[in-house]
């Protein structure tokens, strides 16, 4: 019994060392996942801890009247911030995901259940109201299209995002966070720089 406990403690220590090492290497982080999963909150906190530029892709893609940026400009802006030494980007935008995946050293996939993402969308609406807050990366616009996207994300988009991660981010460490609690615990292991 004692040996199992020692092995368990040793394994836990080894896991903590690996986690510490991977966290220390994080400089370019792409955060992906469903709307309402906590990407923007994680990006702000991680950017603060890593002393890295934070880019909320919704703030880049939409203007104050919800007009979309032309695709070529959106791609060029991502290429620009991905060239920086340190950055954290939150957002899926599957059409340009390759740009961020090829440039990052870490991918964080906010892989929360559908109910948790829907709760995140609604609670964000209650906290922030409808509209935009570019500083915080909060872009609230709840309509049937958004709700349908969230409700079908795990079945439709998740496999596509995972395939792109597999195809374009083989060089990067990939972190799956499946709940807000797990995200808070993971963040506790990220030291401020």
């Amino acid at each position: 019994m004692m040996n199992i406990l020692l092995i368990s403690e040793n394994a836990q220590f080894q896991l903590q060392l690996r986690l510490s090492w991977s966290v220390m290497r994080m400089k370019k982080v792409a955060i992906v996942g469903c709307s309402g999963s906590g990407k923007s909150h994680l990006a702000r906190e991680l950017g603060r801890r890593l002393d890295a530029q934070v880019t909320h892709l919704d703030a880049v893609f939409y203007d104050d009247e919800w007009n979309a940026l032309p695709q070529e400009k959106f791609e060029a802006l991502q290429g620009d911030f991905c060239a920086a030494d340190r950055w954290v980007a939150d957002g899926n935008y599957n059409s340009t995901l390759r740009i961020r995946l090829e440039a990052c050293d870490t991918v964080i996939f906010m892989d929360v259940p559908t109910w948790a993402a829907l709760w995140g969308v609604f609670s964000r609406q209650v906290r922030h109201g409808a509209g935009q807050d570019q500083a915080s990366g909060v872009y609230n616009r709840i309509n049937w299209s958004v709700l349908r996207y969230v409700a079908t994300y795990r079945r439709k988009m998740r496999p596509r995002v995972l395939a792109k991660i597999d195809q374009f981010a083989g060089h990067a460490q990939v972190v799956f966070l499946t709940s807000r609690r797990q995200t808070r615990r993971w963040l506790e292991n990220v030291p401020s720089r």
Side-chain angles (χ1 to χ4, degrees):
M1 194 66 130
M2 183 68 79
N3 287 340
I4 293 173
L5 180 60
L6 289 174
I7 290 169
S8 176
E9 287 176 2
N10 187 37
Q12 191 174 20
F13 177 72
Q14 292 296 328
L15 178 63
Q16 193 66 27
L17 278 178
R18 278 199 329 261
L19 179 61
S20 297
W21 172 246
S22 64
V23 164
M24 288 185 334
R25 294 182 333 181
M26 277 193 302
K27 293 181 182 173
K28 300 177 179 189
V29 183
I31 302 174
V32 295
C34 187
S35 300
S37 63
K39 296 184 306 292
S40 295
H41 172 76
L42 176 61
R44 285 189 304 275
E45 184 59 26
L46 198 55
R48 185 184 68 74
R49 290 175 185 236
L50 298 177
D51 191 27
Q53 167 193 337
V54 176
T55 301
H56 302 285
L57 292 177
D58 284 343
V60 173
F61 190 68
Y62 293 110
D63 67 15
D64 291 339
E65 267 109 56
W66 293 100
N67 297 309
L69 191 67
Q71 185 73 14
E72 358 15 278
K73 287 185 180 180
F74 189 47
E75 290 174 7
L77 287 171
Q78 289 180 66
D80 290 345
F81 80 71
C82 284
D85 290 338
R86 291 184 184 277
W87 53 265
V88 176
D90 93 82
N92 278 328
Y93 293 92
N94 200 41
S95 63
T96 60
L97 184 55
R98 178 181 184 169
I99 296 168
R100 298 180 309 281
L101 292 178
E102 289 179 340
C104 73
D105 57 46
T106 305
V107 178
I108 300 175
F109 193 105
M110 301 299 289
D111 199 20
V112 302
T114 300
W115 67 265
L118 285 167
W119 172 256
V121 167
F122 286 117
S123 65
R124 180 175 61 207
Q125 183 78 16
V126 169
R127 284 190 321 273
H128 299 283
Q132 306 172 34
D133 178 5
Q134 288 192 349
S136 67
V138 173
Y139 274 62
N140 278 340
R141 183 172 66 165
I142 296 181
N143 57 37
W144 286 113
S145 176
V146 170
L147 294 177
R148 186 173 42 252
Y149 176 81
V150 173
T152 62
Y153 181 87
R154 291 188 69 76
R155 183 171 41 87
K156 291 184 176 179
M157 281 305 298
R158 183 180 185 273
R160 294 169 63 190
V161 172
L162 289 173
K164 284 199 174 179
I165 291 170
D166 187 48
Q167 184 177 5
F168 300 116
H171 61 281
Q173 69 173 333
V174 179
V175 177
F176 286 84
L177 299 174
T178 59
S179 70
R180 293 183 190 339
R181 172 187 245 173
Q182 186 182 37
T183 300
R184 283 191 302 272
R185 286 183 177 163
W186 183 81
L187 268 171
E188 290 171 1
N189 290 296
V190 179
S192 293
R193 294 198 175 148

